[in-house]
Amino acid sequence: TRAALKPQLSGVVLHFVIATTAAAILTFLVRHAIVSGLVYGIAVYFFMNLVVIAAFSLSAQSLVRSVFAGYRLDCAQCSA
């Protein structure tokens, strides 16, 4: 029946829309690799600093200090 074909048809259409969009994005990324890489790197930098570190309510310096302090503690325990 027609009602049974609606979800299948919309799934096929959505699949092709997603595939076409992904192909267009990939083509852009390949043709403009340096610009894409710079934009991606800047986006990751700001996301990590503004979202991830803020979510743990730590500054970047205290996060580095805590990582290295734990490492020194582990090394001291291993040599004892």
Side-chain angles (χ1 to χ4, degrees):
T1 66
R2 287 192 134 167
L5 290 178
K6 278 188 177 182
Q8 295 169 347
L9 182 60
S10 64
V12 169
V13 169
L14 187 60
H15 169 78
F16 280 104
V17 167
I18 291 171
T20 304
T21 303
I25 291 171
L26 183 62
T27 302
F28 176 82
L29 292 177
V30 169
R31 288 186 181 164
H32 307 285
I34 293 174
V35 173
S36 300
L38 288 172
V39 169
Y40 176 76
I42 291 168
V44 168
Y45 173 81
F46 282 111
F47 179 80
M48 292 301 244
N49 283 304
L50 298 176
V51 176
V52 174
I53 292 176
F56 290 104
S57 68
L58 295 172
S59 69
Q61 291 178 349
S62 65
L63 180 63
V64 170
R65 276 191 224 119
S66 66
V67 167
F68 284 119
Y71 178 72
R72 278 184 265 146
L73 180 63
D74 290 343
C75 289
Q77 289 174 349
C78 291
S79 62

